[in-house]
Amino acid sequence: MRNLRIGVPSKGRLSELASDLLKQAGLSFRRQNRSLFARVREIPVDITFLRTDDIPVLCAEGAIDMGITGSDLVTESEVDVETRLHLGVGKCRLAVCVPEDSDLNKASDLDGTRVASTFPRTTERYLAEHDAKAHLVKLSGSVEIMIALGVADAIVDLVETGSTLAANRLRILDEIGNYETVLIQNSSCAQAELADRVVRRLEGVVIARSYSLLEYNLPRERLAEAELITPGFNSPTVNPLEDQDWCAVRVMVLHKDVIRVMEELEALGASAILETKIGNCRL
Ligand code: PRP
C-alpha cells in the first residue's frame, strides 16, 4: 500500500504554521530546494506541497489523503471532505467591507452594487440569502484595492488583524463567517488507521498549545470551590499533603485564562500556584 499523503501549503503564512505543527507532532521531514515532495522519517507518510486553495479539491479527488488548509477555502470549494481537526491557528473572518464613508450599511444595500472577491461562491450564497442582486467581480488576489480602482463598491475579503482594512480606509459592513486552519481528510481514505494516528498526534500538539498545567496547594475545605474555577480538561488531579488539612491540585487551564484563574485561586486561599507549559500531550 502506498504511503499516506498529506497536502501542505507550499508558501505563504500557512506553510510555516503547518510545517511547525507537523514537526512538533513528530512528523519531521526536510523540504529540499522548494521541492514539492518530502518523506516523513518515522512513519509511512509523504508530504506534498501544494497551493493552499487547491488542497480541498485535491483531497476530495483523492490525490492526497489528508490536507492542511483554511476552512474558508474548504467552504468556498464546496467539495465533500471530512474536517478532522481544527488546528487553532490562522483564525480570520470573511467580511463584506466598504469605504469608511460609504452609504452602504446593511446586506440588502448591496442590491445593484458591484462586489469584488476571491470567494465568489461564498459571496454568491451570502448575497442570495439577503436577496441582494449584485454584480460579482471574481478575482484571485489584491481585492482590497478594487474599490480605489473603481472596479467595485464593496469587497468580500478575509480580515485577520484589520490592518489591511485600516490601510485602505475600509470598514466592515457585515461578517460572513469565522474560519481557521483545519486538517481535512478524503471521505473514503483507504488508510484510516494511519490517518487516525496523524490526527491523534496533531491533536496532542493543538491541545498542548492552548493549555497550561497549573499546580497549587489549597486548604482541603475549599476544594469544591476551586474545582468550579479549575474544572480541568477532564477533572483535576488531587493529592494529599503532609498537613492533612491541605491538598495539592494539578489541572489543565486554557492559556488565555491562566492569569485570571491564578488571581481567583489566590483569593480562595491557594498558595504555591505554578504554571507549566505543556510541550505535547495525550488525553
Ligand atoms: C489576507 C486578506 C487580507 C489580509 C487581511 O491576505 O486577503 O488582504 O490578509 O489581514 P489583516 O486583517 O491582518 O490585514 P494575505 O496576506 O493572506 O494575502 P492574499 O492577498 O494572497 O490573500
Side-chain angles (χ1 to χ4, degrees), residues 160-175:
E160 194 182 342
T161 61
S163 323
T164 306
L165 290 189
N168 291 281
R169 305 185 65 82
L170 302 174
R171 65 173 166 85
I172 293 179
L173 178 145
D174 196 8
E175 285 180 15

Side-chain angles (χ1 to χ4, degrees), residues 13 142 144 157-164:
R13 280 182 286 193
S142 307
E144 64 274 14
D157 198 11
L158 293 174
V159 180
E160 194 182 342
T161 61
S163 323
T164 306

Side-chain angles (χ1 to χ4, degrees), residues 216-264:
Y216 56 92
N217 294 341
L218 185 79
R220 195 170 270 283
E221 62 188 22
R222 312 305 297 265
L223 193 55
E225 292 162 87
E227 282 188 9
L228 293 176
I229 301 170
T230 57
F233 198 85
N234 293 316
S235 69
T237 306
V238 181
N239 285 310
L241 288 179
E242 210 149 82
D243 179 342
Q244 290 184 356
D245 293 338
W246 282 70
C247 58
V249 182
R250 202 167 57 182
V251 70
M252 286 171 73
V253 176
L254 279 169
H255 282 315
K256 66 179 178 60
D257 295 336
V258 164
I259 303 294
R260 175 184 57 79
V261 164
M262 281 177 124
E263 284 171 354
E264 289 181 22

